[in-house]
Amino acid sequence: MRLPIFIFLSLIPVVSSFAQSTIYTVIDETTKQPVPYATIQTSENQGVYTNEEGRFSLATEAYGTKTDSMYVSSMGYERRGIALAALTDSIIYIRPQAIALDGAFVSNKKLTVDEIIEQVKENLEQNYTHDLSQKRFFLRKSDFGKVRHMNIDFKKSTIEEFDKKFLDSVVALLPKKSEFYSEVLGDFYKSKDDEKLTIIKAAKLYDKNNEGSFEALGKKVEQIFKENVKPTSYLKIKSGFFFGTKVQVDSILKASEEAKQVKTELEKQDDNKEYVSNQKSNLKSIFKNTLYNEDSKLDILHKSGRYDFELTDYSIIDGHSVYVIQFNPGRRADFKGTLYINTEDFAVVRIDYENTKTLKSFGLLGISYKENVYKGRTIFSKETDHKYHIKFLEKYQGNIFGIDRPLKIIEKNKHVKGKRKQNELSLGIDVGMSQLVKTELVIFSNTSINDTQYQEVKEDYSIEPEYLSKYDPDFWNGYTIMEPNTAIRSFEATEGL
C-alpha cells in the first residue's frame, strides 16, 4: 500500500542555532488567488500546511541537513514537485486539476449517499483510534473581545467620590476591544482517560496596557472603599426584586490582602502548572469534539438521521479519490457543510462545517448569553498504524453576553448609633459583550506508545510562555509551525509599557 503523504512524523525539527526559515505563498495559477490549507511535504517525515492566506514558512536547515526540495498539493490541484534552488521568488504557483469520473470512482458498487454514510459509520472504529499516543503539535489561539455597548445609568450615591463623573471615567478607561494570541509547540500524550503535556516553546502576544488599566482602576476603587466604608459594616447588594445578598466589609478587606499575599507567593513559585493545565484543557476539548466521538458537538454522523445528505462531486485528496457530500440540517440539527470521504475505506478525510442557528441561548431577568458561532474545518490523514488522525484543525467559536439590570449597594452597620444605613450607591447597568476565539492546530506526528511509556512521561513546567508586545518574525525561526496571518503579523501593543 502506498504511504500517505503525511508521514512527516516524529522527526519534526525542534531547533537549530543555524536553522533559517523562508516564507512562501502558494497561488492558483489560473485565478492568481492564494490557496489556503495546501499540503507542503518536504520529505517523508516533514511538512506543514499553508494558512488561510496561502502562506507557509519552511525551515530550510535542521539537524545539519538541508531541505532541497518539496511537494505542494491541495484538493483540486495537480501535485507539484519543486527544487528549492529553482525558486526565484517566494511565490509558488499550482495548476487546477480536472477531475474525471473514471475507474477510480466506478470500480466499486454504485452506492447511494445514504449507503455511503452508513459505511462511514460502520467503519468508524476501524478507521479511527483512541489508543495511547504521543502527538507533536503546534496550537495557536486568537481571542478577540469586544464591548458592544456599555451604559451606566447613575442614579444615586452618598459617597462623594463615586459620582457620575467617576463612573463616566470608568467607562472611558475600560478597553472596548482586546486581542490575545497564544502559541504553543509541544508534545501531547493522550490516553483514554488522561492527558499529559510537555512544552517545547510558547509565546503570548497581547497588550499589557489593558492589564494596567484594570489594575489602576482596581486600586482607585479599593482606596475609595477603604476611606468611606467602615470595616465593621456589611454591604447589602440588590439587583432588581429577586437578587440580594449580604457581604461583610472586613471579609472583603481581608480577602483583598490575602489575594495580594497569594499573588506574591505564586510569583516565587513555578506557576506554569496552571498554564500547562489550560493548554491540556484546550487540546482535550478539541479531541472530545472530533467528528468520530459519540458525544461530539459535531453530531453529523452519530445523529445522521437529523441531516439531509447529497453526493455533489468527486475529488482527489493526497492522491486518493473522495466522495464530496454536502450535508444540511433537517429536524433538530445544527450544522451545514461538506464531508470528504475516501472511496476505498469510507473514512472522512476532511470536514468543513458551520452552525446554522444559535447553539446555546439563555436569557433570564436581564442576563443573556448566546453561543452564536461554531464553524471550521478538520483534516485527517492515514498513517503507519493504518488509522486516521487529525493533522490540521481550524475552528471559530463565538458568543454574546449581556447584562441589563439595576444595581444597588447599601452599606449598613449595626454597631453605629442611629440609622444602620450608612451609604448607598444605585446604578442601572446595561452592558453587552462579544467574544470570538479562533483555534488552529497542526499535529505533525502521532506515535503509538504503551502504558509503561505513558507512565514514564513527566510533565515539565520549566518552559514559560514568552511575552511579546508585538509580532516578532524571528521568534519561531528554525521551528516548524503554522504561519501567522496578517492580523497577527501586524499586531503591536500601544505605547506606554
Side-chain angles (χ1 to χ4, degrees), residues 121-129 387:
K121 293 164 65 176
E122 290 178 10
N123 285 276
L124 284 178
E125 186 174 345
Q126 175 182 322
N127 285 326
Y128 304 94
T129 180
K387 302 286 186 179

Side-chain angles (χ1 to χ4, degrees), residues 342-404:
N342 190 309
T343 60
E344 296 179 2
D345 56 20
F346 299 98
V348 175
V349 297
R350 172 173 168 172
I351 176 174
D352 300 345
Y353 59 91
E354 65 176 296
N355 61 304
T356 58
K357 61 183 180 181
T358 299
L359 298 183
K360 291 181 181 178
S361 181
F362 171 84
L364 180 66
L365 302 175
I367 301 175
S368 62
Y369 172 84
K370 289 184 178 180
E371 184 181 1
N372 63 326
V373 177
Y374 196 94
K375 64 179 182 179
R377 62 182 46 81
T378 306
I379 298 174
F380 302 88
S381 179
K382 193 173 187 178
E383 300 183 3
T384 52
D385 61 357
H386 305 296
K387 302 286 186 179
Y388 284 83
H389 300 265
I390 294 177
K391 300 306 298 184
F392 172 74
L393 174 143
E394 179 189 58
K395 180 164 64 175
Y396 294 84
Q397 294 172 272
N399 61 74
I400 299 173
F401 177 76
I403 299 176
D404 186 4

Side-chain angles (χ1 to χ4, degrees), residues 28 32 112 119 133 227 274 293 328 355 381 425 489 494:
D28 183 308
K32 311 304 181 187
T112 67
Q119 286 291 328
S133 64
E227 291 176 355
E274 182 178 357
N293 283 329
N328 285 286
N355 61 304
S381 179
L425 176 64
R489 296 196 306 272
T494 56

Side-chain angles (χ1 to χ4, degrees), residues 39 42 65 78 82 116 213 260 275 354 425 461 464 469:
T39 299
T42 56
T65 60
E78 295 179 1
I82 303 170
I116 295 171
S213 297
K260 292 178 182 179
Y275 178 77
E354 65 176 296
L425 176 64
Y461 306 116
E464 293 187 25
S469 62

